[in-house]
């Protein structure tokens, strides 16, 4: 028998009826989103149960706040809170679809980037996403249609307090069960997936806000004594350079090329019998190029900017947010500053605008003389797509700027075309799509091939200009291109039954090529990561890194430490791979006794913690390496014509003189 309309209206207009209906709808919706959109790695019945109940405490608490109002204001407050929480949930859905991660407070403040990612944001949306606002629409409809009437009676504050206490009690119950399944959940270093899985999206957001506030307070309380532990650890773990390579590239130019979203499985991969990256494949056999095939990205939420940070500083990125946007005012002892004091001209080339990822601020702290951004390129529709300028015209237009740099120079090129959602104009496509049932994965091969062709052309330009034989060229994949959300298609790509956690860890390999004129090349099987590149290149240039705070280890050193730390605390070594507390044999993928990885786990934990301390507390402001003068950010101005070097400090003496004159 159908319930009469009047009976329904009567029920909905009871004192707490709308509150509990909103809580119920929001709870159900959130759980459905968890299961449909997020890969949280549920492993047992307790974790399934916690995922079901963890939205309840947040819903009870936040909607109870609306009860402090009365009349129309109460109805508006309930609807507004529902809408705001739904927007937060949906923002995480879109963010997770690409980054396989959750938004943090620092990411929310990266508003400069929002205008640049419109195309990617649209590509991440789905027609059915309107469902994620169904509860808000339903509650609003009940109010607008006056099915739910305005109740002008004020609710007793003790009753509201009781609901708030019930919400907190439910959270404590939730946390207790979570701690039983995963001890020290909030005190040990776990990734964001753990927090959301055990405590929920909204409690995670609160936790993240607390952690972010805590990190800001840390800097204010730090002093010079805090750097001692870091200095002692770094110096105790310093790896001596290999005499065979130390200074082998002294005085040469340096070019870094960031290969956007480029994973190492592409090297020597054939699609329909055709090599995806024939040029890069040829470099694996080049007589003067060292190719590292066990090299891993170690980025966090900052992705490309995190990779840049590690390559320039040999410090780890932060566990939340991007260093570029949250710590750009810090003191750093970056490669451009170190080499700038040795007579190098330093420059960055990027086919996007200088404010993206806050680069125009961070590069000042790194000590870059010049920054050629979109302002210096033809950014017409013909030359741009997705995140900025296409790689082929961009490399071509960069050459006059590059050849005009006083030598020796240290230059960085940040490619863009091989970026999600991996799209090209029809006229730029000369390679087949994949046929793996996933649009993102299928398109990836086309944009990777385009990047490979652009690199081949750039190398031709370098040879024609006469720079090639006097330049060290470092090319590296900045981060993964295909996330875990595409595991089904990736299993087909790799020809395996499924992408296991072990295989996913191995897929974090990205290529590293170091071309050194006059030095014998070949394939190097050493395990390493982005944090290791700076000391490696510095030693090639004849600059010893023993007096600097760096957590990387020279890849060419006979004593190189083959422990690759991931930002969430997982790691890969030449012997073992650890993912979420499970240890695997790196060579075979078989599970092994977790005790075998305890030493490596401790190394990873200590280095991540010490590096975080350096960045959060801005400790390098207290540390002065021998012969190094700290960067004065006021010496750099990227609003001026970057083709004009006049007025810029060229050496340590010039920089000191300029700073003292202000």
């Amino acid at each position: 028998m159908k319930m009469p309309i009047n009976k329904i209206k009567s029920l909905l207009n009871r004192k707490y009826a709308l509150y509990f209906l909103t809580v119920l709808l929001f709870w159900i919706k959130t759980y459905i989103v968890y299961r449909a959109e997020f890969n949280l790695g549920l492993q047992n019945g307790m974790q399934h149960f916690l995922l079901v109940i963890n939205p309840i405490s947040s819903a009870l608490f936040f909607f109870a706040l609306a009860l402090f109002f009365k009349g129309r204001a109460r109805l508006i407050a309930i609807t507004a809170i529902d809408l705001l929480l739904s927007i937060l949930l949906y923002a995480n859905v879109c963010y997770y679809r690409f980054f396989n991660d959750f938004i943090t407070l620092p990411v929310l403040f990266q508003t400069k980037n929002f205008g640049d990612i419109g195309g990617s944001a649209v590509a991440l949306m789905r027609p059915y996403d309107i469902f994620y606002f169904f509860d808000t629409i339903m509650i609003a409809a009940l109010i607008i249609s006056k099915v739910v009437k305005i109740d002008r009676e004020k609710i007793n504050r003790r009753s509201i307090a009781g609901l708030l206490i019930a919400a907190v009690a439910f959270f404590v119950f939730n946390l207790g069960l979570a701690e039983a399944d995963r001890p020290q959940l909030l005190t040990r270093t776990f990734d964001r997936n753990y927090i959301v899985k055990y405590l929920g999206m909204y409690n995670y957001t609160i936790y993240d806000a607390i952690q972010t506030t805590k990190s800001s307070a840390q800097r204010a309380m730090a002093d010079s004594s805090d750097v001692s532990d870091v200095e002692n650890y770094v110096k105790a773990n310093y790896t001596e350079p290999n005499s065979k390579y130390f200074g082998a590239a002294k005085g040469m130019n340096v070019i870094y090329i960031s290969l956007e979203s480029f994973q190492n499985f592409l090297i020597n991969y054939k699609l329909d019998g055709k090599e995806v990256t024939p040029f890069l494949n040829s470099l694996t056999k080049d007589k003067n190029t060292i190719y590292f095939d066990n090299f891993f990205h170690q980025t966090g939420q900052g992705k490309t900017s995190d990779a840049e940070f590690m390559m320039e500083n040999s410090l780890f990125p932060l566990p939340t947010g991007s260093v570029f946007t949250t710590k750009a005012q810090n003191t750093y002892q970056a490669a451009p500053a170190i080499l700038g004091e040795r007579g190098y001209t330093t420059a960055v080339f990027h086919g996007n605008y200088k404010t993206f990822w806050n680069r125009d601020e961070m590069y000042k702290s790194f000590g870059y003389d010049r920054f050629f951004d979109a302002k210096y390129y033809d950014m017409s529709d013909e030359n741009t797509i997705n995140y900025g300028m296409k790689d082929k015209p961009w490399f071509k237009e960069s050459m006059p700027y590059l050849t005009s740099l006083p030598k020796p120079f240290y230059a960085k090129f940040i490619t863009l075309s091989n970026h999600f959602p991996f799209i090209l104009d029809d006229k730029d496509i000369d390679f087949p799509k994949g046929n793996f049932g996933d649009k993102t994965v299928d398109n990836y091969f086309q944009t990777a091939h385009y990047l490979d062709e652009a690199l081949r052309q750039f190398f031709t330009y370098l040879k024609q200009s006469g720079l090639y034989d006097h330049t060290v060229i470092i090319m590296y994949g900045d981060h993964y291109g295909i996330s875990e959300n595409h595991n089904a298609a990736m299993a087909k790509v790799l020809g395996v039954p499924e992408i296991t956690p072990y295989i996913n860890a191995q897929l974090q390999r990205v290529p590293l090529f170091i071309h050194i004129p006059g030095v014998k090349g070949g394939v190097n099987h050493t395990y390493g990561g982005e944090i290791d590149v700076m000391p490696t290149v510095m030693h090639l240039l004849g600059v010893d890194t023993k007096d600097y705070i760096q957590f990387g280890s020279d890849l060419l050193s006979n004593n190189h430490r083959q422990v690759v730390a991931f930002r969430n605390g997982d790691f890969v070594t030449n012997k073992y791979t650890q993912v979420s507390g499970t240890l695997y044999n790196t060579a075979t993928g078989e599970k092994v006794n977790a005790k075998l990885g305890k030493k490596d786990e401790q190394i990873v934990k200590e280095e991540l913690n010490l590096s975080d301390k350096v960045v959060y507390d801005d400790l390098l402001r207290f540390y002065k390496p021998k012969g190094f003068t700290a960067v004065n950010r006021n010496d750099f101005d990227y609003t001026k014509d970057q083709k004009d070097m006049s007025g810029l400090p060229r050496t340590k003496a010039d920089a000191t003189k300029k700073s003292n004159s202000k």
Side-chain angles (χ1 to χ4, degrees):
M1 179 180 293
K2 293 183 179 179
M3 185 177 291
I5 295 296
N6 290 338
K7 184 72 172 178
I8 295 174
K9 287 184 177 181
S10 176
L11 288 173
L12 288 174
N13 282 281
R14 292 183 179 181
K15 184 172 289 188
Y16 296 104
L18 185 64
Y19 168 75
F20 284 113
L21 176 63
T22 308
V23 168
L24 178 64
L25 292 175
F26 188 79
W27 169 28
I28 293 171
K29 178 189 72 175
T30 303
Y31 177 71
I32 291 173
V33 171
Y34 285 169
R35 298 308 307 268
E37 297 287 356
F38 304 140
N39 179 19
L40 298 174
L42 301 174
Q43 297 177 341
N44 56 47
M46 177 62 77
Q47 291 179 13
H48 280 277
F49 177 68
L50 288 171
L51 194 69
V52 171
I53 69 168
N54 73 42
I56 296 177
S57 62
S58 300
L60 288 171
F61 185 88
F62 288 114
F63 291 119
L65 298 178
L67 301 182
F68 283 106
F69 299 92
K70 66 178 182 177
R72 183 185 299 274
R74 184 187 305 159
L75 300 181
I76 293 173
I78 284 180
T79 308
I81 292 171
D82 196 355
L83 178 61
L84 289 173
L85 292 177
S86 296
I87 289 172
L88 176 62
L89 181 64
Y90 183 61
N92 274 281
V93 167
C94 290
Y95 190 82
Y96 195 92
R97 283 173 180 169
F98 177 55
F99 290 112
N100 202 51
D101 204 349
F102 298 99
I103 295 174
T104 64
L105 196 62
V107 168
L108 287 175
F109 289 123
Q110 291 165 12
T111 55
K112 286 184 179 181
N113 290 353
F114 291 172
D116 293 298
I117 60 176
S120 289
V122 171
L124 293 168
M125 295 178 180
R126 307 286 184 268
Y128 57 77
D129 288 352
I130 189 67
F131 167 79
Y132 299 146
F133 295 90
F134 175 77
D135 58 322
T136 310
I137 295 170
M138 181 176 175
I139 296 300
L142 290 172
I143 294 171
I144 293 171
S145 65
K146 297 184 179 180
V147 171
V148 174
K149 301 184 183 302
I150 297 174
D151 181 5
R152 301 191 183 281
E153 182 182 347
K154 191 174 182 179
I155 295 178
N156 185 288
R157 294 199 171 227
R158 286 187 178 181
S159 299
I160 301 173
L163 289 173
L164 293 173
I165 292 170
V168 172
F170 202 93
F171 170 76
V172 172
F173 169 70
N174 186 164
L175 180 61
L177 293 180
E179 284 283 341
D181 193 67
R182 176 58 70 177
Q184 298 178 294
L185 177 66
L186 298 180
T187 55
R188 292 177 60 192
T189 306
F190 292 108
D191 64 13
R192 284 167 286 280
N193 264 21
Y194 276 92
I195 307 296
V196 174
K197 175 169 65 176
Y198 284 108
L199 301 181
M201 171 65 66
Y202 309 100
N203 290 324
Y204 153 74
T205 302
I206 295 171
Y207 170 79
D208 173 64
I210 293 171
Q211 293 298 101
T212 300
T213 303
K214 178 182 175 182
S215 73
S216 298
Q218 281 180 302
R219 185 186 187 279
M221 294 187 291
D223 59 41
S224 57
S225 63
D226 294 323
V227 80
S228 298
D229 289 344
V230 179
E231 181 183 4
N232 291 337
Y233 179 87
V234 168
K235 290 189 173 181
N237 289 277
Y238 165 73
T239 48
E240 293 279 350
N242 187 329
S243 59
K244 176 182 174 182
Y245 293 102
F246 187 78
K250 189 172 184 178
M252 291 186 183
N253 304 311
V254 178
I255 292 177
Y256 273 87
I257 306 175
S258 171
L259 308 180
E260 173 63 44
S261 303
F262 197 101
Q263 289 175 249
N264 202 58
F265 76 84
L266 290 166
I267 300 298
N268 293 318
Y269 190 91
K270 290 184 179 181
L271 188 67
D272 297 335
K274 298 178 181 179
E275 291 181 290
V276 179
T277 58
F279 176 68
L280 289 176
N281 295 349
S282 71
L283 290 182
T284 66
K285 307 175 186 68
D286 183 78
K287 66 177 182 179
N288 296 129
T289 301
I290 304 174
Y291 163 57
F292 293 85
D293 62 352
N294 288 315
F295 182 78
F296 294 78
H297 85 85
Q298 299 168 282
T299 62
Q301 288 188 317
K303 295 301 183 282
T304 300
S305 67
D306 280 355
E308 288 187 67
F309 182 70
M310 283 183 279
M311 303 293 279
E312 309 281 26
N313 296 276
S314 195
L315 297 171
F316 287 101
L318 294 177
T320 62
S322 165
V323 185
F324 269 49
T325 57
T326 61
K327 299 294 180 181
Q329 305 294 322
N330 276 15
T331 297
Y332 296 107
Q333 292 151 12
I338 295 170
L339 293 178
E341 293 189 340
R342 288 165 169 77
Y344 275 73
T345 305
T346 56
V348 181
F349 300 83
H350 185 42
N352 200 332
Y353 291 92
K354 61 179 178 284
T355 55
F356 195 54
W357 279 122
N358 203 36
R359 286 186 171 101
D360 56 336
E361 294 300 324
M362 187 56 118
Y363 288 164
K364 293 176 185 178
S365 297
F366 286 179
Y368 269 111
D369 294 328
R370 298 201 256 183
F371 183 9
F372 294 94
D373 73 326
K375 176 182 175 181
Y376 295 88
Y377 297 99
D378 175 7
M379 300 294 287
S380 62
D381 290 344
E382 182 182 2
N383 285 344
T384 58
I385 196 169
N386 206 12
Y387 269 67
M389 195 169 185
K390 299 175 186 177
D391 294 340
K392 288 182 180 179
W394 172 66
F395 274 129
K396 185 176 182 179
E397 291 187 26
S398 296
M399 283 306 298
Y401 302 135
L402 180 66
T403 55
S404 69
L405 294 178
K407 300 171 185 59
F409 58 71
Y410 176 97
K412 175 166 63 177
F413 289 80
I414 305 166
T415 65
L416 288 170
S417 295
N418 190 44
H419 197 295
F420 179 87
F422 309 115
I423 54 177
L424 292 172
D425 289 331
D426 290 342
K427 64 185 178 63
D428 295 315
I429 297 173
D430 63 355
F431 195 79
K433 284 187 177 183
N435 186 27
F436 301 102
D438 184 311
K439 182 179 178 181
T440 296
V441 175
D442 292 346
N443 287 350
Y444 185 56
F445 296 98
Q446 290 185 326
T447 53
H449 181 74
Y450 176 87
L451 171 58
D452 185 72
E453 288 185 325
L455 293 169
R456 176 180 57 78
Q457 291 180 8
F458 183 53
F459 271 60
T460 299
Y461 299 148
L462 292 176
K463 291 174 182 177
Q464 292 171 344
S465 70
L467 292 174
Y468 184 76
D469 292 330
H470 307 282
T471 302
V472 178
I473 305 171
I474 302 104
M475 294 187 291
Y476 66 97
D478 58 352
H479 55 78
Y480 66 78
I482 307 299
S483 73
E484 291 179 77
N485 296 320
H486 306 278
N487 276 354
M490 280 304 300
K492 297 176 184 177
V493 170
L494 300 180
V496 297
E498 64 174 330
I499 303 297
T500 63
Y502 160 78
I503 292 177
N504 182 65
Q506 307 311 312
L507 276 172
Q508 304 316 304
R509 281 179 174 83
V510 293
L512 174 66
F513 295 89
I514 303 181
H515 167 79
I516 316 162
V519 174
K520 184 179 180 181
V523 179
N524 188 309
H525 302 304
T526 297
Y527 277 70
E530 289 164 332
I531 197 126
D532 299 319
V533 176
M534 183 185 177
T536 305
V537 174
M538 285 294 165
H539 289 170
L540 284 168
L541 298 175
V543 180
D544 202 326
T545 60
K546 64 182 179 181
D547 292 323
Y548 292 91
I549 300 295
Q550 298 178 357
F551 289 92
S553 170
D554 184 345
L555 291 163
L556 297 171
S557 171
N558 294 325
N559 299 316
H560 170 68
R561 303 189 305 276
Q562 299 193 71
V563 180
V564 183
F566 295 130
R567 185 55 263 191
N568 65 356
D570 292 340
F571 62 83
V572 175
T573 77
N574 57 326
K575 294 181 179 179
Y576 304 114
T577 295
Q578 180 170 292
V579 182
S580 299
T582 301
L583 195 69
Y584 303 87
N585 181 303
T586 295
T588 66
E590 296 177 352
K591 292 182 181 180
V592 296
N593 191 321
K595 292 181 180 179
L596 297 173
K598 287 301 179 184
K599 181 179 179 181
D600 294 328
E601 183 180 30
Q602 184 57 39
I603 291 172
V604 167
K605 183 177 181 180
E606 184 166 15
E607 292 197 351
L608 289 173
N609 287 340
L610 289 175
S611 180
D612 287 349
K613 189 171 181 62
V614 170
V615 179
Y616 280 132
D617 295 3
D618 192 12
L619 292 184
L620 293 184
R621 61 192 158 130
F622 303 123
Y623 183 76
K624 295 178 172 46
K626 183 179 179 181
F628 179 81
T629 300
V631 168
N632 183 347
R633 288 171 44 84
N634 294 325
D635 289 339
F636 306 95
D637 183 0
Y638 305 133
T639 63
K640 294 169 61 176
D641 184 358
Q642 299 299 289
K643 293 175 284 188
D644 180 12
M645 277 293 294
S646 61
L648 291 175
R650 291 295 306 113
T651 65
K652 179 176 72 172
D654 291 338
T656 303
K657 182 178 178 181
K658 183 172 181 178
S659 298
N660 290 339
S661 68
K662 295 188 176 184

